[in-house]
Amino acid sequence: MAEAVSHTVETAPEKLMTQRSQRIQEIIAGYAFMAPAIIILTVFLVLPMVAALFFSLTDWNGITPLFDRQGTVNTQAFEMVGLENYERLLLREGSRQEAFFTSLKNTVYFVLGVVPVQTILALVLAVIVNQRWLKGKGFFRTAFYFPSISSSVVISLIFMFLFASNGIINQGIKALFPGYQNVTWLNDATGVIHALLGGLGITRDTVGEWARTEVLSIRLWDWISGPSVTMLMIMILNTWTTIGTMMVIYLAALQNIPGQVYEAAYVDGATTGQIFRKITVPLLRPTTFFVITLGLIGTFQVFDQIYVISSGGPADTTLTIAYLVYRSGFDDSRMGLATATAMVLFVIIFVFTMIQRRIVGGEKAD
Amino acid sequence: MRNVRLIVLMVGLFALLGAGLASAQTTTIQLAGWSSSDAENAALEAMVAAFEEANPDIDVELIFAPEYETFMQTGFASGDYPNVFYVDSFRLQDWASAGVLEPYGDQITNPDDLYASLRDIFTYDGQLYCAPKDFSTLALVYNTDLFEAAGVAVPTNWEELRAAAEALTTEDVAGLTTGIELPRFLPFLYEAGGSILSEDGTEVVLDSDATITAVDYFVSLYTDGVAKSPADLGAGWAGEAFGQGKAAMTIEGNWIIQYLIDQFPDTNWAVSELPVGSEGPATMAFTVCYGVAAAANNDNLEASVRLADFLTGPEGAMMVGESGFGPMPARASAAETWLSSRGEEFAPFVAGGDYSYAWSFPPGFGTFIDTFNNGLNEAVKGNVDVQELVQDSAEAAQEALDELM
């Protein structure tokens, strides 16, 4: 015993040394393995984010060179303006504020329209293609997933043909309802809610003076416009293209639910509807959190389809925040303002993800 | 002896080789632009080849960039961008004020031959920044078959234009189609005696009776159903709707010529100058110049200016004229050449060069253009009244101007 103790005491420092050097070696090896990812993330994610944060505090126009040929920094390129860009976006009345809140309104309608629909449809589709009785599962899985792997620009162009004023969609509706007046899907700024209210005889002129009050540079009446017809078309397109990915995620989760749980439910005499509501949906909760998070981030950042189809028009009704960033930075030569907008978008997405984490209870996922 | 000879021979050979290498030493400069059509690209390549032949010490690397402006802007920001590049008149003030352009107006060959209106467009802060490459103007394009069938004469003023549009409108055909947007509306504004900015560019003068008159006229064509937007006619742009015979008239630039010839060879059409308003004629000029990168970011300034001056000089203009595709040469001396290769019947486009206004704005006027376009589209649908549209737009213009001050 004593021998053993003395032995330990004697060799302890040596052992510690080797342990420590082993630890250090492990750490080095660990970082070496991570290095490619860390470098890539730093160069393409962290640095741009820091740069964007920095430029959001300047009045840089995005054109004046930051360096000359010799690589000397051009100090005349911009001035620090503090939080002025943020103030103009969020607080100061004027066209910048109007543009920002118009884009926020459009984006929120887009998110509210697309995320619930794509989540529910993806779940339903996943449950259907997961059924044992379904023949040709492979075909349906491929077919539903196909839009997600196709180029979004190409799909946008195809949708433009489909939704042209004498395109297939309009002709199809006309064949079903002969009295139908062609809707110019690609260029109709009428808000969907406005149109519904209009059908009930409620218009801006009949609701009373309150509708003309401007809140954050936008009239109250325009706040409740709903997505425009063109936006609705892009929402349909976006839902259709993203459903496949969401379905695959749900499908993987569905196949992870052990069969015993279902068997037990059958034995207890649960109906199919009950099984779906009480077993499938609760067990898919972590997946739902993931799908909604992906959906939120994707829809808040919608850009490419807008760029191809409408460039923010008609009447700015498809101007999303992401598109506003592009427009201020590249069309309007206000890179400072553009980066500030991007920062605000980042905060919005962050906050929404946190909120829905609380609601859906994503912590249980880990 | 033999050895000595050999050595002399060798030395001589090396000397020759060295001299050859020295003379073959060339500078390479980059020329960037966007690709518009195969014919135009080929024409530019031919011009560049002619330049290289005349200047063996310069090698030109031609870059056709898709998403041109984004490509240039990212280049500008990094300070590493092409030596010579297209500058759209719309971007001139933006880019000139950002300091990425070297004004070489004082080194242009025979500048007086360039159309004065085009020189004005590329003058910023009192300096001529660059020489125009070519230009296009708007004119009235009309369908001769439909005009004959309806027995309508070619309109020359606003009243006649309205009357013609009314007479030509049927269930399937709109009298007029043109985009509901600022560049198509501006000729009407100038013809009514209005303007967006005062002459010296320090004041917004949009909120005027002339603007109201012009907007009223333009909007009423649509609200009365005699004009329709290309989208309403199921077309991507006015030229397509016109070519398909869905509209009897359109207001378009000379780029429509080749398009109609290629796509709609069976449609019979002709061109006339835009109908004149109460305060005289007006049209828009869309033009592009060859900008030269600013000295701080240009290693080959001298060669760059030489290239730009060659492409826009008398010889270059003549080559633009001879190739005879869409845009017209920016020099009056080459106008005849363009007409004879393109066709004398297109003279109305050339005539516009004398009374055209610039499609060009101070930096940051994008918001104003958006505001106006949105308002105009809403006004055409009857959702916004004209007074409101004009006031909102004038405010947006004032705000953009204040930002600059």
Side-chain angles (χ1 to χ4, degrees), chain A residues 47-62 66 78-90 92 100 325 328-329 334-347:
Chain A
L47 288 182
M49 275 182 72
V50 173
L53 183 64
F54 174 75
F55 283 118
S56 75
L57 306 174
T58 71
D59 68 349
W60 188 43
N61 56 18
L66 298 171
F78 53 79
E79 272 171 44
M80 302 301 294
V81 294
L83 295 173
E84 200 195 316
N85 288 325
Y86 294 95
E87 191 205 333
R88 277 170 52 194
L89 278 181
L90 304 171
R92 201 188 302 168
F100 176 75
V325 172
S328 341
R334 293 276 181 278
M335 200 51 88
L337 209 59
T339 45
T341 316
M343 283 295 145
V344 175
L345 176 60
F346 165 73
V347 171

Side-chain angles (χ1 to χ4, degrees), chain B residues 141 237-240 242-244 250 255-267 269:
Chain B
V141 182
W237 68 294
E240 188 184 345
F242 177 82
Q244 291 169 340
T250 183
W255 51 80
I256 200 175
I257 301 173
Q258 199 57 44
Y259 174 79
L260 289 177
I261 293 173
D262 291 344
Q263 303 291 322
F264 301 99
D266 300 331
T267 305
W269 52 281

Side-chain angles (χ1 to χ4, degrees), chain B residues 19-110:
Chain B
L21 274 177
S23 75
Q25 207 165 49
T26 54
T27 45
T28 303
I29 55 176
Q30 291 182 318
L31 168 62
W34 57 82
S35 165
S36 22
S37 67
D38 289 345
E40 251 174 273
N41 297 350
L44 182 58
E45 274 159 22
M47 287 170 77
V48 167
F51 172 78
E52 283 176 330
E53 200 163 312
N55 300 273
D57 56 325
I58 302 175
D59 242 352
V60 180
E61 187 191 333
L62 196 54
I63 305 168
F64 288 117
E67 296 296 323
Y68 177 74
E69 284 186 8
T70 315
F71 165 80
M72 287 309 296
Q73 194 171 332
T74 45
F76 290 151
S78 70
D80 183 10
Y81 53 97
N83 305 78
V84 183
F85 48 92
Y86 286 13
V87 181
D88 192 300
S89 61
F90 186 68
R91 294 302 266 193
L92 188 268
Q93 304 190 34
D94 231 2
W95 291 2
S97 67
V100 293
L101 293 174
E102 185 69 25
Y104 65 92
D106 50 345
Q107 298 172 58
I108 294 173
T109 314
N110 191 9

